[in-house]
Amino acid sequence: MKRFFSLVAALVAFALPASAQQEGIVAGLSQNAVQITATFVGSEILIFGAVKRDAPAPAGDLGVVVVVEGPSDPITVRRKEKRMGIWVNTDAVEVEAAPSFYAIATSAPFDEIISPELNRERDISIPESVRILEDETATDTESFAEAVIRIRSKAGLYMINEGAVTMSEDTLFNTRIELPSNLTEGDYQARIYLTRGGELVAEHSASIDVRKVGLERWLYNLAHEQAFLYGLMSLAIAIAAGWGASAFFRVFLRS
């Protein structure tokens, strides 16, 4: 029986790609939690690691791709057209999933270290991460996906930084991912892909918890759980602010 299990282990090891046996990833993050407060202006995460090897490095250029992805939600994208001098909504497409945040950092140009097949298989690039529902009534659905990417890129939520991963001696690597102030709370994923010749050698993932805290959390809970009270409070604040501004200008003008 012992010889049988030894034989099975040998066959499994033989069936695995050589690169999978030889190289892996050991990585860490400077922080695994981000707290969104009333004064939150953005943050930065340092992602660092090393390539562990059981044998000398195989031939081929080593590539590292780091992806930080926020929670995905379905959205409806509408196209506006000007008709009779008025802008109106025309076509609409349901986007099945679009990450609220998506950042990519690479050690070299993306197309040089990630093959098209691997990109489609793992949904690594920004266009691959935005999935549109099949809709026979809509035409040119790709333009709707491009609109989502364009809008969120302009807001600093989608970004790709080629060459931003620093490597040392083909073993150590690190990069920094900037998190903007307009983050959506939720569970974020940091993924690291190790490639040679555009093909996947190893991968690693870690979670990042992004949550509202303090006053931001209280206001968020109040707006979603006690909408009526939140509306009354907002109205009271608006009235008080208007009255205060009016009183200030009356005193100022008199003086």
Side-chain angles (χ1 to χ4, degrees):
M1 183 63 68
K2 184 177 181 180
R3 291 182 60 188
F4 172 77
F5 283 112
S6 299
L7 179 60
V8 170
L11 289 174
V12 170
F14 179 78
L16 289 173
S19 57
Q21 299 176 46
Q22 294 176 356
E23 295 181 294
I25 300 173
V26 179
L29 283 68
S30 60
Q31 55 180 331
N32 293 94
V34 175
Q35 296 183 341
I36 302 177
T37 64
T39 57
F40 182 73
V41 293
S43 184
E44 180 184 76
I45 292 181
L46 171 64
I47 301 175
F48 54 92
V51 180
K52 61 178 181 179
R53 297 186 175 94
D54 298 328
D61 293 332
L62 181 69
V64 177
V65 177
V66 176
V67 175
V68 175
E69 179 179 7
S72 294
D73 292 306
I75 58 174
T76 300
V77 183
R78 304 183 187 278
R79 174 183 287 153
K80 288 189 175 183
E81 293 183 0
K82 196 171 185 179
R83 296 181 178 177
M84 301 180 65
I86 301 175
W87 289 97
V88 296
N89 292 325
T90 54
D91 298 337
V93 166
E94 294 291 332
V95 177
E96 180 181 7
S100 59
F101 176 80
Y102 205 85
I104 302 174
T106 68
S107 60
F110 185 89
D111 294 336
E112 292 183 8
I113 57 177
I114 296 291
S115 67
E117 294 76 18
L118 177 59
N119 183 30
R120 287 191 296 268
E121 177 186 345
R122 299 302 175 97
D123 298 329
I124 300 175
S125 67
I126 294 176
E128 290 292 336
S129 69
V130 179
R131 298 187 295 275
I132 296 179
L133 288 173
E134 296 294 333
D135 189 349
E136 297 179 355
T137 62
T139 59
D140 191 22
T141 56
E142 291 300 322
S143 64
F144 287 87
E146 292 172 359
V148 173
I149 295 172
R150 183 175 62 254
I151 292 171
R152 294 192 172 179
S153 296
K154 190 175 181 179
L157 295 172
Y158 286 1
M159 63 192 78
I160 177 169
N161 297 315
E162 296 180 314
V165 176
T166 302
M167 297 199 65
S168 176
E169 299 180 358
D170 218 28
T171 300
L172 304 176
F173 63 86
N174 71 83
T175 189
R176 297 179 184 274
I177 300 294
E178 297 287 342
L179 302 178
S181 59
N182 53 342
L183 281 181
T184 299
E185 71 169 353
D187 296 324
Y188 285 58
Q189 288 292 321
R191 303 193 303 273
I192 304 172
Y193 300 97
L194 188 69
T195 66
R196 283 193 183 275
E199 300 304 322
L200 184 65
V201 172
E203 61 182 313
H204 176 85
S205 63
S207 297
I208 305 170
D209 187 36
V210 178
R211 301 293 171 189
K212 292 182 174 71
V213 296
L215 180 61
E216 285 287 316
R217 166 55 58 187
W218 183 77
L219 290 174
Y220 180 86
N221 290 340
L222 183 65
H224 287 79
E225 298 173 6
Q226 302 288 338
F228 180 72
L229 291 178
Y230 180 80
L232 289 179
M233 186 185 72
S234 301
L235 182 62
I237 292 175
I239 292 174
W243 179 85
S246 176
F248 171 80
F249 280 110
R250 283 201 304 269
V251 173
F252 178 78
L253 292 175
R254 286 176 182 174
S255 60

